[in-house]
């Protein structure tokens, strides 16, 4: 199966879903200073061969243009001739697709995800206990207790990749990079968006709970 076998309709469907999510996230202030990146897979999947649309690097993600996305392969190489550069963090998307076979991955930077990543850095995970919105991550047990993994962040993005396979926890659909941002994924864009929103809610909840507990 090569990229040439993927139909124009399949590609258009992915681009239109991603554009809608990008516009929605932009109105919510999820892309400060051009940060963040989004991707969605298209066509069949095997860990050795897959294709996805990803945001172009360094763009103002609150703007909608015909140059917002490009298609890349499992090595992060563009599938079509283009002058666009894929997100500088495409290698992270590649590794998450390779390990999980998921259908979409969304990454944003926020004050709360940055703060909790530092607050809980020593334990390398953000603990969340019994908060209802854990169900938004697809974990339905009563009073669930979860640990959201925090990974090292490096300016040289490929250095982040080895830790992903070491730390990715099967039931938690996301990883937090220290003082950087959250990567959330799902079977499709709907699920990845629900996971991202649930993570962001839980990060703010945990942060505020810590403040309450530690007030004098
Ligand atoms: C300007 S934010 C620093 C890069 C980053 O963390 C990010 O999410 C955006 O990078 P991209 O190459 O995807 O635009
Ligand atoms: Zn980032």
């Amino acid at each position: 199966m090569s990229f040439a076998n993927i139909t124009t309709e399949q590609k258009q469907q992915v681009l239109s879903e991603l554009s809608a999510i990008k516009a929605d996230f932009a109105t919510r202030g999820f892309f400060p200073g051009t940060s963040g990146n989004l991707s969605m897979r298209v066509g069949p999947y095997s860990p050795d061969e897959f294709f996805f649309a990803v945001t172009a690097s360094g763009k103002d993600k609150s703007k909608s243009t015909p140059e917002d996305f490009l298609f890349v392969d499992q090595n992060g190489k563009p599938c079509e001739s283009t002058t666009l550069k894929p997100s500088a963090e495409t290698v992270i998307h590649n590794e998450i697709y390779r390990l999980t076979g998921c259908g979409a991955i969304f990454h944003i930077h926020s004050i709360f995800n940055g703060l909790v990543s530092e607050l809980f850095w020593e334990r390398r995970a953000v603990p969340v206990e019994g908060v209802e919105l854990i169900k938004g991550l697809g974990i339905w047990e009563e009073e669930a207790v979860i640990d959201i993994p925090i990974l090292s962040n490096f300016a040289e993005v490929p250095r982040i990749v080895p830790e992903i396979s070491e730390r990715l926890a099967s039931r938690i659909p996301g990883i937090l990079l220290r003082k950087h941002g959250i990567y959330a994924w799902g079977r499709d864009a709907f699920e990845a968006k629900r996971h991202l929103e649930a993570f962001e809610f839980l990060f703010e909840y945990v942060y505020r709970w810590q403040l309450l507990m530690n007030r004098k």
Side-chain angles (χ1 to χ4, degrees):
M1 174 81 189
S2 80
F3 187 71
N5 297 112
I6 293 169
T7 65
T8 307
E9 289 71 31
Q10 284 175 297
K11 290 187 248 178
Q12 277 311 322
Q13 168 66 30
V14 161
L15 293 178
S16 99
E17 245 187 288
L18 270 179
S19 298
I21 283 167
K22 182 167 141 304
D24 176 39
F25 284 6
T27 61
R28 295 154 76 176
F30 281 0
F31 301 129
T34 75
S35 64
N37 34 74
L38 311 176
S39 75
M40 198 173 157
R41 215 163 44 66
V42 63
Y45 170 82
S46 89
D48 302 325
E49 189 183 56
F50 54 87
F51 307 101
F52 59 97
V54 64
T55 41
S57 185
K59 300 267 180 183
D60 178 349
K61 287 155 188 131
S62 69
K63 300 271 192 308
S64 198
T65 80
E67 309 216 303
D68 289 342
F69 304 100
L70 65 158
F71 287 94
V72 298
D73 67 12
Q74 68 283 346
N75 298 312
K77 297 282 169 289
C79 300
E80 299 166 311
S81 165
T82 179
T83 55
L84 298 175
K85 275 179 55 187
S87 165
E89 296 172 357
T90 300
V91 284
I92 297 176
H93 293 248
N94 276 109
E95 184 67 353
I96 295 169
Y97 284 124
R98 192 180 71 78
L99 292 166
T100 68
C102 68
I105 304 171
F106 300 150
H107 164 61
I108 65 161
H109 299 206
S110 74
I111 301 288
F112 289 111
N113 70 38
L115 287 173
V116 296
S117 76
E118 190 57 4
L119 195 57
F120 293 104
W121 172 241
E122 276 185 20
R123 67 194 302 281
R124 301 294 195 273
V126 180
V128 191
E129 295 183 10
V131 181
E132 180 69 7
L133 213 64
I134 291 174
K135 291 177 183 164
L137 301 176
I139 298 165
W140 284 80
E141 76 207 44
E142 192 76 25
E143 289 294 315
V145 176
I146 63 167
D147 268 323
I148 302 164
I150 309 170
L151 281 61
S152 314
N153 187 46
F154 297 106
E156 201 186 316
V157 180
R159 285 185 67 197
I160 297 170
V161 172
E163 217 178 311
I164 300 176
S165 47
E166 287 163 27
R167 300 295 316 287
L168 193 132
S170 59
R171 73 175 190 155
I172 309 291
I175 49 171
L176 190 52
L177 299 186
R178 185 185 184 189
K179 291 190 281 183
H180 179 158
I182 179 75
Y183 276 83
W185 56 84
R187 278 170 301 198
D188 52 26
F190 175 84
E191 192 179 74
K193 180 169 177 280
R194 191 187 74 217
H195 292 163
L196 184 92
E197 290 172 347
F199 279 125
E200 286 299 297
F201 178 97
L202 295 171
F203 293 145
E204 182 169 352
Y205 182 101
V206 164
Y207 175 79
R208 291 184 186 277
W209 179 245
Q210 288 291 318
L211 276 191
L212 270 179
M213 289 300 96
N214 293 315
R215 82 200 145 140
K216 295 262 168 4

